[in-house]
Short mmCIF file of all heavy atoms in Angstrom, two decimals:
data_model
loop_
_atom_site.label_atom_id
_atom_site.label_comp_id
_atom_site.label_asym_id
_atom_site.label_seq_id
_atom_site.Cartn_x
_atom_site.Cartn_y
_atom_site.Cartn_z
N MET A 1 -28.63 -2.49 25.88
CA MET A 1 -28.57 -1.05 25.99
C MET A 1 -29.49 -0.42 24.96
O MET A 1 -29.63 -0.91 23.87
CB MET A 1 -27.15 -0.55 25.76
CG MET A 1 -26.17 -0.97 26.82
SD MET A 1 -25.81 0.43 27.84
CE MET A 1 -24.81 -0.31 29.08
N GLY A 2 -30.09 0.70 25.32
CA GLY A 2 -31.00 1.39 24.43
C GLY A 2 -30.25 2.23 23.41
O GLY A 2 -29.03 2.22 23.33
N THR A 3 -30.97 3.04 22.67
CA THR A 3 -30.35 3.85 21.63
C THR A 3 -29.45 4.93 22.19
O THR A 3 -28.54 5.39 21.53
CB THR A 3 -31.43 4.51 20.75
OG1 THR A 3 -32.27 5.31 21.59
CG2 THR A 3 -32.24 3.48 20.01
N SER A 4 -29.66 5.31 23.44
CA SER A 4 -28.82 6.34 24.04
C SER A 4 -27.56 5.76 24.66
O SER A 4 -26.78 6.47 25.25
CB SER A 4 -29.61 7.10 25.11
OG SER A 4 -29.96 6.20 26.15
N GLY A 5 -27.37 4.47 24.54
CA GLY A 5 -26.19 3.83 25.10
C GLY A 5 -26.43 3.27 26.48
O GLY A 5 -25.56 2.66 27.05
N GLY A 6 -27.60 3.47 27.04
CA GLY A 6 -27.92 2.98 28.37
C GLY A 6 -29.02 1.95 28.32
O GLY A 6 -29.62 1.73 27.29
N PRO A 7 -29.29 1.32 29.45
CA PRO A 7 -30.39 0.35 29.49
C PRO A 7 -31.70 1.01 29.11
O PRO A 7 -31.86 2.21 29.23
CB PRO A 7 -30.39 -0.10 30.95
CG PRO A 7 -29.02 0.20 31.44
CD PRO A 7 -28.58 1.41 30.70
N ASN A 8 -32.67 0.22 28.69
CA ASN A 8 -33.92 0.75 28.17
C ASN A 8 -34.71 1.57 29.18
O ASN A 8 -35.44 2.46 28.80
CB ASN A 8 -34.79 -0.38 27.63
CG ASN A 8 -34.17 -0.99 26.40
OD1 ASN A 8 -33.46 -0.32 25.67
ND2 ASN A 8 -34.44 -2.25 26.17
N HIS A 9 -34.61 1.30 30.47
CA HIS A 9 -35.39 2.05 31.44
C HIS A 9 -34.62 3.24 32.02
O HIS A 9 -35.04 3.85 32.97
CB HIS A 9 -35.92 1.13 32.54
CG HIS A 9 -34.86 0.32 33.21
ND1 HIS A 9 -34.29 -0.79 32.64
CD2 HIS A 9 -34.26 0.47 34.41
CE1 HIS A 9 -33.39 -1.28 33.47
NE2 HIS A 9 -33.35 -0.55 34.54
N PHE A 10 -33.49 3.55 31.42
CA PHE A 10 -32.71 4.72 31.79
C PHE A 10 -32.52 5.58 30.55
O PHE A 10 -32.53 5.09 29.44
CB PHE A 10 -31.33 4.33 32.32
CG PHE A 10 -31.37 3.70 33.67
CD1 PHE A 10 -31.51 2.33 33.80
CD2 PHE A 10 -31.26 4.45 34.81
CE1 PHE A 10 -31.56 1.74 35.05
CE2 PHE A 10 -31.30 3.86 36.07
CZ PHE A 10 -31.44 2.50 36.19
N ARG A 11 -32.33 6.86 30.75
CA ARG A 11 -32.01 7.74 29.64
C ARG A 11 -30.78 8.56 30.02
O ARG A 11 -30.56 8.88 31.18
CB ARG A 11 -33.18 8.67 29.31
CG ARG A 11 -33.48 9.68 30.40
CD ARG A 11 -34.53 10.68 29.94
NE ARG A 11 -34.77 11.66 30.97
CZ ARG A 11 -34.05 12.75 31.16
NH1 ARG A 11 -33.02 13.01 30.38
NH2 ARG A 11 -34.32 13.58 32.14
N ARG A 12 -29.98 8.84 29.02
CA ARG A 12 -28.77 9.62 29.24
C ARG A 12 -29.16 11.09 29.41
O ARG A 12 -30.00 11.61 28.66
CB ARG A 12 -27.83 9.46 28.05
CG ARG A 12 -26.51 10.11 28.25
CD ARG A 12 -25.61 9.79 27.08
NE ARG A 12 -24.33 10.46 27.24
CZ ARG A 12 -23.29 10.22 26.50
NH1 ARG A 12 -23.36 9.33 25.53
NH2 ARG A 12 -22.17 10.85 26.71
N LEU A 13 -28.58 11.75 30.39
CA LEU A 13 -28.89 13.16 30.61
C LEU A 13 -28.34 14.00 29.46
O LEU A 13 -27.26 13.72 28.93
CB LEU A 13 -28.27 13.66 31.92
CG LEU A 13 -28.84 13.10 33.21
CD1 LEU A 13 -28.19 13.78 34.41
CD2 LEU A 13 -30.33 13.23 33.29
N GLN A 14 -29.08 15.00 29.10
CA GLN A 14 -28.61 15.93 28.09
C GLN A 14 -27.61 16.86 28.74
O GLN A 14 -27.57 17.02 29.96
CB GLN A 14 -29.79 16.70 27.51
CG GLN A 14 -30.76 15.76 26.82
CD GLN A 14 -31.62 16.48 25.82
OE1 GLN A 14 -31.44 17.64 25.54
NE2 GLN A 14 -32.56 15.75 25.28
N SER A 15 -26.78 17.50 27.93
CA SER A 15 -25.66 18.29 28.46
C SER A 15 -26.09 19.42 29.39
O SER A 15 -25.38 19.75 30.32
CB SER A 15 -24.85 18.86 27.30
OG SER A 15 -25.65 19.71 26.52
N ASN A 16 -27.27 19.98 29.19
CA ASN A 16 -27.68 21.12 30.01
C ASN A 16 -28.49 20.72 31.24
O ASN A 16 -28.89 21.58 32.03
CB ASN A 16 -28.50 22.11 29.17
CG ASN A 16 -29.77 21.49 28.63
OD1 ASN A 16 -29.92 20.28 28.60
ND2 ASN A 16 -30.68 22.33 28.19
N GLU A 17 -28.74 19.42 31.45
CA GLU A 17 -29.50 18.98 32.61
C GLU A 17 -28.62 18.96 33.85
O GLU A 17 -27.43 18.70 33.79
CB GLU A 17 -30.08 17.59 32.38
CG GLU A 17 -31.20 17.58 31.37
CD GLU A 17 -31.86 16.23 31.27
OE1 GLU A 17 -32.82 15.98 32.02
OE2 GLU A 17 -31.39 15.42 30.45
N VAL A 18 -29.24 19.24 34.99
CA VAL A 18 -28.51 19.29 36.25
C VAL A 18 -28.53 17.92 36.90
O VAL A 18 -29.58 17.27 37.00
CB VAL A 18 -29.16 20.34 37.19
CG1 VAL A 18 -28.48 20.34 38.55
CG2 VAL A 18 -29.08 21.72 36.56
N VAL A 19 -27.36 17.48 37.34
CA VAL A 19 -27.21 16.18 38.00
C VAL A 19 -27.76 16.29 39.41
O VAL A 19 -27.58 17.29 40.09
CB VAL A 19 -25.72 15.77 38.04
CG1 VAL A 19 -25.53 14.46 38.81
CG2 VAL A 19 -25.18 15.64 36.63
N ARG A 20 -28.47 15.24 39.85
CA ARG A 20 -29.05 15.23 41.19
C ARG A 20 -28.86 13.85 41.81
O ARG A 20 -28.51 12.89 41.12
CB ARG A 20 -30.51 15.61 41.14
CG ARG A 20 -31.36 14.64 40.34
CD ARG A 20 -32.79 15.09 40.26
NE ARG A 20 -33.59 14.04 39.64
CZ ARG A 20 -34.65 14.26 38.91
NH1 ARG A 20 -35.06 15.48 38.69
NH2 ARG A 20 -35.31 13.25 38.40
N ARG A 21 -29.09 13.77 43.10
CA ARG A 21 -29.04 12.46 43.77
C ARG A 21 -30.08 11.57 43.13
O ARG A 21 -31.15 12.02 42.75
CB ARG A 21 -29.35 12.61 45.26
CG ARG A 21 -28.37 13.45 46.02
CD ARG A 21 -27.14 12.67 46.33
NE ARG A 21 -26.17 13.58 46.97
CZ ARG A 21 -25.17 13.18 47.65
NH1 ARG A 21 -24.93 11.91 47.78
NH2 ARG A 21 -24.33 14.04 48.18
N GLY A 22 -29.78 10.31 42.99
CA GLY A 22 -30.70 9.38 42.34
C GLY A 22 -30.34 9.14 40.88
O GLY A 22 -30.93 8.28 40.24
N ASP A 23 -29.40 9.91 40.34
CA ASP A 23 -28.91 9.66 38.99
C ASP A 23 -27.87 8.55 39.05
O ASP A 23 -27.45 8.14 40.14
CB ASP A 23 -28.31 10.93 38.38
CG ASP A 23 -29.38 11.96 38.04
OD1 ASP A 23 -30.55 11.58 37.89
OD2 ASP A 23 -29.03 13.14 37.93
N PHE A 24 -27.45 8.07 37.89
CA PHE A 24 -26.53 6.93 37.84
C PHE A 24 -25.37 7.23 36.91
O PHE A 24 -25.50 8.00 35.97
CB PHE A 24 -27.27 5.68 37.33
CG PHE A 24 -28.32 5.20 38.27
CD1 PHE A 24 -29.57 5.79 38.30
CD2 PHE A 24 -28.06 4.16 39.15
CE1 PHE A 24 -30.55 5.35 39.18
CE2 PHE A 24 -29.04 3.71 40.03
CZ PHE A 24 -30.28 4.32 40.04
N VAL A 25 -24.23 6.58 37.19
CA VAL A 25 -23.05 6.71 36.36
C VAL A 25 -22.59 5.31 35.96
O VAL A 25 -22.76 4.35 36.71
CB VAL A 25 -21.93 7.49 37.09
CG1 VAL A 25 -21.43 6.75 38.30
CG2 VAL A 25 -20.80 7.84 36.17
N VAL A 26 -22.03 5.18 34.76
CA VAL A 26 -21.56 3.90 34.26
C VAL A 26 -20.19 3.60 34.86
O VAL A 26 -19.31 4.47 34.90
CB VAL A 26 -21.46 3.91 32.72
CG1 VAL A 26 -20.88 2.60 32.21
CG2 VAL A 26 -22.82 4.16 32.10
N VAL A 27 -20.02 2.38 35.35
CA VAL A 27 -18.74 1.94 35.90
C VAL A 27 -18.26 0.74 35.07
O VAL A 27 -18.82 0.44 34.03
CB VAL A 27 -18.85 1.58 37.39
CG1 VAL A 27 -19.14 2.82 38.21
CG2 VAL A 27 -19.87 0.52 37.63
N GLU A 28 -17.25 0.05 35.56
CA GLU A 28 -16.69 -1.10 34.85
C GLU A 28 -17.78 -2.07 34.41
O GLU A 28 -18.80 -2.21 35.06
CB GLU A 28 -15.70 -1.83 35.75
CG GLU A 28 -14.45 -1.03 36.03
CD GLU A 28 -13.51 -1.78 36.94
OE1 GLU A 28 -13.57 -3.02 37.00
OE2 GLU A 28 -12.71 -1.10 37.59
N ASN A 29 -17.54 -2.74 33.31
CA ASN A 29 -18.45 -3.74 32.75
C ASN A 29 -19.82 -3.16 32.40
O ASN A 29 -20.82 -3.85 32.42
CB ASN A 29 -18.62 -4.93 33.70
CG ASN A 29 -17.32 -5.63 33.95
OD1 ASN A 29 -16.46 -5.71 33.08
ND2 ASN A 29 -17.14 -6.11 35.16
N ARG A 30 -19.86 -1.86 32.12
CA ARG A 30 -21.08 -1.17 31.69
C ARG A 30 -22.22 -1.30 32.69
O ARG A 30 -23.39 -1.30 32.34
CB ARG A 30 -21.51 -1.66 30.31
CG ARG A 30 -20.49 -1.31 29.26
CD ARG A 30 -20.76 -1.94 27.94
NE ARG A 30 -22.14 -1.74 27.49
CZ ARG A 30 -22.51 -1.74 26.25
NH1 ARG A 30 -21.62 -1.90 25.31
NH2 ARG A 30 -23.76 -1.59 25.91
N LYS A 31 -21.90 -1.37 33.97
CA LYS A 31 -22.92 -1.42 35.02
C LYS A 31 -23.20 0.00 35.49
O LYS A 31 -22.32 0.85 35.48
CB LYS A 31 -22.44 -2.26 36.20
CG LYS A 31 -22.30 -3.73 35.88
CD LYS A 31 -21.87 -4.48 37.10
CE LYS A 31 -21.68 -5.96 36.79
NZ LYS A 31 -21.23 -6.71 37.96
N LEU A 32 -24.43 0.23 35.91
CA LEU A 32 -24.79 1.53 36.44
C LEU A 32 -24.76 1.49 37.97
O LEU A 32 -25.25 0.55 38.58
CB LEU A 32 -26.20 1.92 35.98
CG LEU A 32 -26.34 2.24 34.51
CD1 LEU A 32 -27.81 2.44 34.14
CD2 LEU A 32 -25.57 3.49 34.16
N GLU A 33 -24.17 2.52 38.55
CA GLU A 33 -24.16 2.66 40.01
C GLU A 33 -24.75 4.01 40.35
O GLU A 33 -24.59 4.97 39.60
CB GLU A 33 -22.72 2.58 40.54
CG GLU A 33 -22.16 1.20 40.55
CD GLU A 33 -20.85 1.11 41.31
OE1 GLU A 33 -20.32 2.15 41.75
OE2 GLU A 33 -20.34 0.00 41.44
N PRO A 34 -25.41 4.11 41.50
CA PRO A 34 -25.97 5.40 41.90
C PRO A 34 -24.88 6.46 42.02
O PRO A 34 -23.77 6.18 42.48
CB PRO A 34 -26.59 5.11 43.26
CG PRO A 34 -26.75 3.64 43.31
CD PRO A 34 -25.68 3.06 42.45
N TRP A 35 -25.21 7.67 41.60
CA TRP A 35 -24.29 8.80 41.73
C TRP A 35 -24.28 9.22 43.19
O TRP A 35 -25.33 9.51 43.77
CB TRP A 35 -24.75 9.95 40.84
CG TRP A 35 -23.96 11.19 41.06
CD1 TRP A 35 -24.38 12.32 41.69
CD2 TRP A 35 -22.62 11.43 40.67
NE1 TRP A 35 -23.39 13.25 41.71
CE2 TRP A 35 -22.27 12.72 41.09
CE3 TRP A 35 -21.66 10.67 40.01
CZ2 TRP A 35 -21.02 13.27 40.87
CZ3 TRP A 35 -20.41 11.23 39.80
CH2 TRP A 35 -20.11 12.50 40.21
N GLU A 36 -23.11 9.22 43.79
CA GLU A 36 -22.99 9.57 45.20
C GLU A 36 -22.16 10.83 45.40
O GLU A 36 -21.86 11.21 46.52
CB GLU A 36 -22.39 8.40 45.98
CG GLU A 36 -23.31 7.19 45.98
CD GLU A 36 -22.75 6.02 46.74
OE1 GLU A 36 -21.60 6.11 47.25
OE2 GLU A 36 -23.45 5.01 46.85
N GLY A 37 -21.80 11.49 44.31
CA GLY A 37 -21.03 12.72 44.40
C GLY A 37 -21.92 13.92 44.61
O GLY A 37 -23.10 13.80 44.89
N PRO A 38 -21.35 15.09 44.44
CA PRO A 38 -22.14 16.32 44.63
C PRO A 38 -23.20 16.46 43.54
O PRO A 38 -23.07 15.92 42.45
CB PRO A 38 -21.09 17.43 44.52
CG PRO A 38 -19.99 16.83 43.72
CD PRO A 38 -19.98 15.37 44.04
N ALA A 39 -24.24 17.18 43.87
CA ALA A 39 -25.32 17.44 42.91
C ALA A 39 -25.27 18.91 42.52
O ALA A 39 -24.56 19.71 43.12
CB ALA A 39 -26.66 17.10 43.54
N GLY A 40 -26.02 19.26 41.48
CA GLY A 40 -26.16 20.66 41.12
C GLY A 40 -25.27 21.13 39.99
O GLY A 40 -25.25 22.32 39.68
N PHE A 41 -24.54 20.24 39.33
CA PHE A 41 -23.72 20.65 38.19
C PHE A 41 -24.32 20.10 36.91
O PHE A 41 -25.12 19.17 36.93
CB PHE A 41 -22.26 20.21 38.35
CG PHE A 41 -22.07 18.71 38.37
CD1 PHE A 41 -21.86 18.00 37.20
CD2 PHE A 41 -22.08 18.01 39.57
CE1 PHE A 41 -21.69 16.63 37.21
CE2 PHE A 41 -21.91 16.65 39.59
CZ PHE A 41 -21.71 15.96 38.41
N ARG A 42 -23.96 20.70 35.80
CA ARG A 42 -24.49 20.25 34.51
C ARG A 42 -23.85 18.93 34.11
O ARG A 42 -22.69 18.67 34.37
CB ARG A 42 -24.25 21.30 33.44
CG ARG A 42 -25.13 22.50 33.65
CD ARG A 42 -25.04 23.56 32.61
NE ARG A 42 -24.13 23.28 31.52
CZ ARG A 42 -23.91 24.09 30.52
NH1 ARG A 42 -24.52 25.25 30.48
NH2 ARG A 42 -23.07 23.79 29.56
N ALA A 43 -24.63 18.10 33.44
CA ALA A 43 -24.20 16.76 33.07
C ALA A 43 -22.96 16.78 32.17
O ALA A 43 -22.13 15.89 32.25
CB ALA A 43 -25.33 16.00 32.38
N ASN A 44 -22.81 17.80 31.33
CA ASN A 44 -21.65 17.82 30.43
C ASN A 44 -20.36 18.23 31.14
O ASN A 44 -19.31 18.21 30.55
CB ASN A 44 -21.91 18.71 29.22
CG ASN A 44 -22.02 20.18 29.57
OD1 ASN A 44 -22.12 20.56 30.74
ND2 ASN A 44 -22.02 21.01 28.56
N ALA A 45 -20.43 18.56 32.42
CA ALA A 45 -19.24 18.91 33.18
C ALA A 45 -18.53 17.66 33.73
O ALA A 45 -17.42 17.75 34.23
CB ALA A 45 -19.60 19.84 34.34
N PHE A 46 -19.17 16.50 33.61
CA PHE A 46 -18.59 15.27 34.12
C PHE A 46 -18.04 14.47 32.96
O PHE A 46 -18.60 14.49 31.85
CB PHE A 46 -19.65 14.47 34.88
CG PHE A 46 -19.09 13.36 35.73
CD1 PHE A 46 -18.24 13.63 36.79
CD2 PHE A 46 -19.40 12.04 35.47
CE1 PHE A 46 -17.73 12.60 37.57
CE2 PHE A 46 -18.90 11.01 36.23
CZ PHE A 46 -18.05 11.30 37.28
N VAL A 47 -16.98 13.73 33.18
CA VAL A 47 -16.31 12.98 32.11
C VAL A 47 -17.17 11.82 31.60
O VAL A 47 -17.28 11.62 30.39
CB VAL A 47 -14.94 12.44 32.61
CG1 VAL A 47 -14.28 11.59 31.55
CG2 VAL A 47 -14.04 13.59 33.02
N LYS A 48 -17.80 11.08 32.49
CA LYS A 48 -18.61 9.92 32.10
C LYS A 48 -20.06 10.34 31.90
O LYS A 48 -20.53 11.28 32.53
CB LYS A 48 -18.55 8.85 33.19
CG LYS A 48 -17.18 8.24 33.36
CD LYS A 48 -17.22 7.16 34.40
CE LYS A 48 -15.84 6.55 34.60
NZ LYS A 48 -15.87 5.48 35.60
N PRO A 49 -20.78 9.62 31.04
CA PRO A 49 -22.21 9.92 30.87
C PRO A 49 -22.98 9.62 32.15
O PRO A 49 -22.66 8.69 32.88
CB PRO A 49 -22.66 9.00 29.75
CG PRO A 49 -21.49 8.23 29.31
CD PRO A 49 -20.33 8.56 30.17
N ILE A 50 -23.99 10.42 32.41
CA ILE A 50 -24.83 10.24 33.58
C ILE A 50 -26.24 9.91 33.10
O ILE A 50 -26.73 10.49 32.14
CB ILE A 50 -24.81 11.50 34.46
CG1 ILE A 50 -23.38 11.74 34.94
CG2 ILE A 50 -25.76 11.35 35.64
CD1 ILE A 50 -23.18 12.95 35.78
N TYR A 51 -26.88 8.97 33.79
CA TYR A 51 -28.19 8.47 33.39
C TYR A 51 -29.21 8.72 34.49
O TYR A 51 -28.87 8.83 35.66
CB TYR A 51 -28.13 6.96 33.10
CG TYR A 51 -27.28 6.65 31.89
CD1 TYR A 51 -25.90 6.50 31.99
CD2 TYR A 51 -27.86 6.53 30.64
CE1 TYR A 51 -25.13 6.24 30.88
CE2 TYR A 51 -27.10 6.26 29.51
CZ TYR A 51 -25.73 6.12 29.65
OH TYR A 51 -24.97 5.86 28.54
N ARG A 52 -30.48 8.77 34.09
CA ARG A 52 -31.59 8.96 35.02
C ARG A 52 -32.68 7.97 34.64
O ARG A 52 -32.88 7.68 33.47
CB ARG A 52 -32.12 10.39 34.90
CG ARG A 52 -33.23 10.72 35.87
CD ARG A 52 -33.52 12.20 35.88
NE ARG A 52 -32.39 12.91 36.47
CZ ARG A 52 -32.10 14.19 36.24
NH1 ARG A 52 -32.84 14.91 35.43
NH2 ARG A 52 -31.05 14.75 36.82
N ARG A 53 -33.36 7.46 35.64
CA ARG A 53 -34.49 6.57 35.36
C ARG A 53 -35.52 7.33 34.55
O ARG A 53 -35.81 8.49 34.82
CB ARG A 53 -35.15 6.10 36.65
CG ARG A 53 -34.31 5.14 37.43
CD ARG A 53 -35.13 4.57 38.59
NE ARG A 53 -34.27 3.88 39.52
CZ ARG A 53 -33.92 2.61 39.39
NH1 ARG A 53 -34.37 1.91 38.39
NH2 ARG A 53 -33.12 2.05 40.27
N GLN A 54 -36.08 6.66 33.55
CA GLN A 54 -37.12 7.29 32.75
C GLN A 54 -38.40 7.36 33.56
O GLN A 54 -38.78 6.40 34.23
CB GLN A 54 -37.38 6.49 31.47
CG GLN A 54 -36.30 6.63 30.47
CD GLN A 54 -36.66 5.95 29.16
OE1 GLN A 54 -37.70 5.34 29.01
NE2 GLN A 54 -35.78 6.08 28.20
N GLU A 55 -39.03 8.51 33.50
CA GLU A 55 -40.31 8.66 34.17
C GLU A 55 -41.38 8.08 33.26
O GLU A 55 -41.37 8.31 32.06
CB GLU A 55 -40.58 10.13 34.45
CG GLU A 55 -39.56 10.72 35.39
CD GLU A 55 -39.76 12.21 35.58
OE1 GLU A 55 -40.77 12.76 35.10
OE2 GLU A 55 -38.90 12.81 36.21
N ARG A 56 -42.25 7.33 33.83
CA ARG A 56 -43.32 6.73 33.05
C ARG A 56 -44.51 7.66 33.04
O ARG A 56 -44.93 8.15 34.08
CB ARG A 56 -43.71 5.38 33.62
CG ARG A 56 -42.59 4.39 33.48
CD ARG A 56 -43.03 3.02 33.90
NE ARG A 56 -41.94 2.08 33.69
CZ ARG A 56 -41.96 0.85 34.10
NH1 ARG A 56 -42.99 0.41 34.76
NH2 ARG A 56 -40.95 0.06 33.87
N GLY A 57 -45.03 7.87 31.86
CA GLY A 57 -46.20 8.71 31.72
C GLY A 57 -47.46 7.95 32.07
O GLY A 57 -47.42 6.77 32.41
N PRO A 58 -48.59 8.61 32.00
CA PRO A 58 -49.85 7.93 32.30
C PRO A 58 -50.12 6.82 31.29
O PRO A 58 -49.76 6.91 30.13
CB PRO A 58 -50.91 9.03 32.18
CG PRO A 58 -50.25 10.13 31.42
CD PRO A 58 -48.76 9.99 31.62
N THR A 59 -50.72 5.77 31.76
CA THR A 59 -51.04 4.63 30.90
C THR A 59 -52.20 5.00 29.99
O THR A 59 -53.18 5.58 30.43
CB THR A 59 -51.44 3.41 31.76
OG1 THR A 59 -50.38 3.17 32.68
CG2 THR A 59 -51.69 2.20 30.91
N ARG A 60 -52.05 4.69 28.73
CA ARG A 60 -53.13 4.96 27.77
C ARG A 60 -54.19 3.88 27.92
O ARG A 60 -53.88 2.70 27.98
CB ARG A 60 -52.59 4.98 26.35
CG ARG A 60 -51.65 6.12 26.12
CD ARG A 60 -51.09 6.08 24.74
NE ARG A 60 -52.12 6.53 23.80
CZ ARG A 60 -51.95 6.58 22.50
NH1 ARG A 60 -50.82 6.21 21.97
NH2 ARG A 60 -52.91 7.01 21.70
N THR A 61 -55.43 4.31 27.97
CA THR A 61 -56.52 3.34 28.05
C THR A 61 -57.32 3.42 26.76
O THR A 61 -57.46 4.46 26.16
CB THR A 61 -57.43 3.63 29.26
OG1 THR A 61 -57.91 4.98 29.16
CG2 THR A 61 -56.67 3.46 30.56
N ARG A 62 -57.82 2.27 26.40
CA ARG A 62 -58.65 2.19 25.20
C ARG A 62 -60.12 2.20 25.60
O ARG A 62 -60.51 1.58 26.59
CB ARG A 62 -58.34 0.87 24.50
CG ARG A 62 -58.09 1.04 23.06
CD ARG A 62 -57.58 -0.20 22.42
NE ARG A 62 -58.50 -1.32 22.59
CZ ARG A 62 -58.26 -2.54 22.18
NH1 ARG A 62 -57.12 -2.81 21.61
NH2 ARG A 62 -59.11 -3.52 22.36
N LYS A 63 -60.89 2.94 24.84
CA LYS A 63 -62.34 2.98 25.10
C LYS A 63 -62.96 1.69 24.61
O LYS A 63 -62.72 1.25 23.50
CB LYS A 63 -62.95 4.15 24.32
CG LYS A 63 -63.79 5.02 25.15
CD LYS A 63 -64.36 6.11 24.29
CE LYS A 63 -64.90 7.18 25.16
NZ LYS A 63 -65.51 8.25 24.40
N LEU A 64 -63.73 1.07 25.47
CA LEU A 64 -64.42 -0.15 25.07
C LEU A 64 -65.69 0.20 24.32
O LEU A 64 -66.35 1.19 24.64
CB LEU A 64 -64.76 -0.99 26.32
CG LEU A 64 -63.55 -1.50 27.08
CD1 LEU A 64 -64.01 -2.20 28.36
CD2 LEU A 64 -62.74 -2.45 26.23
N PRO A 65 -66.07 -0.61 23.35
CA PRO A 65 -67.31 -0.31 22.58
C PRO A 65 -68.55 -0.45 23.41
O PRO A 65 -68.64 -0.99 24.41
CB PRO A 65 -67.31 -1.32 21.44
CG PRO A 65 -66.24 -2.30 21.74
CD PRO A 65 -65.42 -1.76 22.84
#
């Protein structure tokens, strides 16, 4: 698990972020399952932490000499 308590390629939603389809919730044995409930509510309104896949930014390229 990463510093936010979730796997490294997921990040925990901040309290003011809106939950959407494609987010994940922690279940037994610290496994993540897709969120299948309603969307459109703030993450801090749910009892369990909600996670989202981290978006990968553009790859940095190095200039060759």
Side-chain angles (χ1 to χ4, degrees):
M1 293 255 175
T3 58
S4 63
N8 292 332
H9 54 284
F10 288 89
R11 67 173 182 84
R12 186 175 178 169
L13 293 184
Q14 298 202 6
S15 62
N16 62 343
E17 289 187 89
V18 176
V19 176
R20 62 183 187 211
R21 298 281 176 162
D23 289 339
F24 294 81
V25 65
V26 176
V27 293
E28 292 179 24
N29 299 326
R30 295 172 50 154
K31 292 182 182 179
L32 290 173
E33 285 190 355
W35 173 253
E36 295 180 357
F41 64 90
R42 290 184 1 181
N44 68 348
F46 194 63
V47 176
K48 294 182 181 181
I50 299 178
Y51 294 85
R52 183 169 291 156
R53 290 188 192 273
Q54 287 187 357
E55 297 175 8
R56 294 186 177 172
T59 305
R60 294 177 75 182
T61 56
R62 229 171 58 184
K63 230 181 195 182
L64 296 175

